[in-house]
């Protein structure tokens, strides 16, 4: 599947950000601006390496060496470029030892720094790579930045300081953390919107799905990546998931555990595909949790995994919808037409993989194999892999996009699910939110306040 996705991208979309596998041409979205930055190449590199596809890896490396240029007049998503490009380049560097990846990662990081030039230090959502001018998405609550976006920089930026010895990256993300710690949190929950000019929350909407998700993931992973020395991050994570469990996690009438969203003072009984990553997060955070609740959190992870598997199992194609409801008689099923699509997303499989690593219950491999077969049957087209618009339709129509995260995440997590535990052991590696593995840092000085490059 990886070779099919890569070879077709290589043939029809090379250098473009993504591939339209039916039209057989390049594709891009506004998160990458108007430039051809080869997002699929950078995102797929570590997967190619892990799978032993070394010729393909070298092709990608050569393109990056010769063609990857960040001095373009292009407005990009700070968050997406961080998790896909900087994360992808750093992982490729750590796995292969090839200097070019480190050099490019540091070059790109320098281009993102102007996004932090706001009155509060909370970065803009977008920045022009040439001019350094930043702004926020027009749709985001009254000019706000988004929790999942500015809260999902920590892992990569700490590694940048570690590799360069320059504390500027570390200082930027620690400033964000300090600001968040000082703020009032309604019900102990973090709203999804924060205004970078005023430092005040936007509308009080809280989600462990889109807009919120990876902020919580990075609190836990900051602690893991620090060799469990960053206790401040662990405390923020523990506090946050206690509030989430109290206010957002419920059981449906049919006994399915789900994570709802807090909107306008009430709980919306709906869960997104993106939220399904949380099963893996709860399992990953079980060890080291408060009050000897490791067993509780592992169980919670298993319940979320089960609910998300049901969202797949209750469709015609055995692929999960973008969002699903728990209202009345409807459970784990998408109701609105615009929530019935599947765009090759990895989150459910990500949770299967973590649950497999921590329990070795064979059902997680069984579920992963069901998903693999469904993707191969319904998403494979002659020119690559495409998302589908309705998982409840027996004759699905395609969206004609092969997302870069399909190669970075979905296929990597599936490959790891069927590999031995000694391939990227979780004691040594922490995966960023785009599934790019970064090594645990064993630092003598865990605050990085002296020389961050101290090995």
């Amino acid at each position: 599947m990886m070779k099919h996705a890569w070879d077709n991208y290589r043939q029809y979309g090379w250098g473009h950000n993504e591939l339209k596998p039916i039209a057989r041409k390049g594709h891009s979205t506004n998160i990458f601006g108007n430039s051809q930055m080869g997002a699929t190449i950078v995102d797929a590199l570590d997967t190619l390496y892990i799978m032993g596809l070394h010729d393909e890896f070298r092709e990608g490396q050569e393109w990056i060496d010769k063609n990857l240029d960040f001095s373009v007049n292009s407005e990009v998503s700070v968050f997406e470029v961080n998790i896909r490009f900087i994360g992808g380049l750093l992982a490729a560097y750590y796995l292969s030892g090839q200097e070019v990846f480190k050099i490019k990662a540091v070059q790109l990081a320098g281009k993102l720094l102007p996004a932090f030039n706001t009155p509060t230090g909370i970065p803009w959502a977008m920045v022009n790579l040439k001019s350094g001018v930043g702004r926020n998405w027009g749709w985001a609550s009254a000019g706000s930045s988004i929790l999942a976006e500015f809260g999902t920089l920590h892992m990569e930026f700490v590694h940048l300081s570690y590799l360069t010895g320059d504390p500027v990256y570390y200082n930027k993300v620690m400033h964000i953390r300090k600001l968040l710690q000082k703020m009032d949190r309604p019900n102990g929950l973090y709203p999804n919107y924060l205004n970078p000019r005023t430092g005040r929350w936007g509308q009080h909407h809280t989600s462990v799905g889109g807009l919120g998700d990876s902020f919580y993931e990075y609190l836990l992973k900051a602690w893991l990546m620090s060799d469990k020395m960053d206790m401040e991050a662990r405390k923020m994570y523990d506090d946050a998931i206690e509030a989430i469990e109290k206010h957002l996690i419920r059981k449906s009438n049919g006994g399915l555990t789900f994570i709802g969203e807090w909107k306008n003072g009430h709980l919306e009984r709906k869960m997104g595909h993106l939220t399904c990553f949380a099963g893996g997060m709860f399992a990953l955070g079980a060890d080291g949790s408060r009050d000897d609740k490791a067993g509780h959190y592992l169980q919670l992870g298993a319940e979320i995994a089960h609910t998300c598997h049901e969202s797949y199992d209750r469709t015609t194609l055995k692929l999960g919808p973008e969002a699903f409801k728990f209202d009345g008689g409807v459970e784990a099923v998408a109701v609105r037409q615009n929530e019935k699509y599947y765009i090759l997303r990895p989150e459910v499989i990500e949770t299967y993989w973590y649950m497999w690593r921590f329990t070795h219950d064979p059902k997680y491999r069984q579920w992963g194999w069901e998903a693999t077969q469904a993707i191969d049957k319904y998403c494979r087209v002659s020119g690559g892999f495409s998302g589908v618009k309705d998982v409840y339709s027996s004759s699905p129509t395609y969206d004609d996009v092969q997302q870069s995260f399909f190669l970075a995440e979905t296929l990597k997590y599936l490959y790891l699910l069927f590999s031995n535990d000694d391939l990227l052991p979780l004691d040594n590696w922490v995966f960023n939110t785009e599934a790019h593995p970064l090594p645990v840092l064993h630092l003598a000085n865990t605050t990085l306040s002296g020389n961050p490059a101290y090995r």
Side-chain angles (χ1 to χ4, degrees), residues 258-259 269-273 275-276 304 307-308 322-324 326:
F258 68 93
I259 310 176
R269 296 172 64 87
K270 178 171 110 176
M271 188 166 168
H273 191 290
T275 320
C276 285
I304 298 293
T307 297
C308 292
E322 181 68 5
F324 41 95
F326 297 89

Side-chain angles (χ1 to χ4, degrees), residues 110-305:
K111 296 282 189 184
L112 296 185
L113 287 178
F116 294 82
N117 295 338
T118 65
T120 57
I122 295 288
W124 299 114
M126 288 173 286
V127 70
N128 184 300
L129 291 175
K130 199 178 187 84
S131 68
V133 173
R135 70 181 176 99
N136 274 341
W137 302 110
W139 50 263
S141 175
S144 291
S145 299
I146 293 161
L147 182 68
E149 297 196 339
F150 65 76
T152 310
L153 303 166
H154 187 96
M155 291 178 66
E156 299 80 3
F157 274 49
V158 169
H159 269 276
L160 287 163
S161 280
Y162 169 72
L163 288 172
T164 61
D166 185 345
V168 63
Y169 307 104
Y170 174 82
N171 291 339
K172 295 286 187 209
V173 290
M174 288 309 288
H175 174 80
I176 294 172
R177 182 191 289 184
K178 297 290 183 225
L179 191 125
L180 286 171
Q181 279 180 313
K182 288 203 287 263
M183 294 186 63
D184 278 339
R185 293 193 293 284
N187 286 336
L189 297 167
Y190 291 86
N192 289 339
Y193 299 106
L194 181 60
N195 190 302
R197 288 199 171 91
T198 64
R200 292 198 189 95
W201 298 118
Q203 65 193 62
H204 286 185
H205 171 206
T206 297
S207 167
V208 186
L211 308 181
D213 48 14
S214 46
F215 164 69
Y216 304 101
E217 176 188 353
Y218 270 38
L219 292 175
L220 172 63
K221 289 178 175 179
W223 173 71
L224 290 168
M225 201 177 80
S226 72
D227 204 17
K228 304 184 179 176
M229 303 297 273
D230 183 353
M231 293 312 294
E232 183 179 69
R234 179 75 214 204
K235 180 185 185 307
M236 288 175 77
Y237 171 77
D238 287 334
D239 289 347
I241 61 166
E242 279 177 19
I244 285 165
E245 191 161 12
K246 185 174 175 187
H247 297 288
L248 304 183
I249 298 185
R250 296 287 182 268
K251 252 201 172 54
S252 71
N253 296 338
L256 296 177
T257 302
F258 68 93
I259 310 176
E261 301 198 3
W262 192 262
K263 268 189 180 162
N264 310 322
H266 75 277
L267 186 73
E268 194 177 12
R269 296 172 64 87
K270 178 171 110 176
M271 188 166 168
H273 191 290
L274 288 166
T275 320
C276 285
F277 91 97
M281 177 178 73
F282 292 139
L284 185 62
D287 190 33
S289 55
R290 279 187 194 147
D291 311 324
D292 283 337
K293 286 175 80 173
H296 168 74
Y297 286 115
L298 196 59
Q299 175 62 26
L300 186 57
E303 289 175 21
I304 298 293

Side-chain angles (χ1 to χ4, degrees), residues 8-142:
N8 279 286
Y9 168 77
R10 174 83 185 75
Q11 188 170 352
Y12 303 115
W14 194 241
H16 288 267
N17 288 316
E18 291 173 322
L19 170 69
K20 290 176 88 63
I22 295 168
R24 300 191 176 190
K25 61 180 190 183
H27 171 76
S28 196
T29 55
N30 62 344
I31 59 173
F32 304 120
N34 52 13
S35 58
Q36 291 185 29
M37 288 179 24
T40 294
I41 299 174
V42 180
D43 228 0
L45 273 172
D46 56 1
T47 309
L48 294 169
Y49 192 89
I50 290 160
M51 290 183 176
L53 296 170
H54 294 301
D55 292 345
E56 291 82 353
F57 179 84
R58 274 191 293 277
E59 282 181 327
Q61 179 178 338
E62 194 176 317
W63 185 89
I64 284 166
D65 195 18
K66 293 199 174 91
N67 303 101
L68 187 55
D69 176 22
F70 303 120
S71 56
V72 286
N73 182 17
S74 192
E75 193 178 47
V76 301
S77 160
V78 173
F79 159 73
E80 294 286 359
V81 164
N82 175 61
I83 65 169
R84 300 193 201 207
F85 283 81
I86 293 181
L89 290 164
L90 289 174
Y93 168 69
Y94 282 118
L95 289 167
S96 72
Q98 298 292 320
E99 246 357 80
V100 59
F101 300 128
K102 180 173 89 175
I103 293 164
K104 294 284 186 183
V106 173
Q107 275 175 0
L108 177 54
K111 296 282 189 184
L112 296 185
L113 287 178
F116 294 82
N117 295 338
T118 65
T120 57
I122 295 288
W124 299 114
M126 288 173 286
V127 70
N128 184 300
L129 291 175
K130 199 178 187 84
S131 68
V133 173
R135 70 181 176 99
N136 274 341
W137 302 110
W139 50 263
S141 175

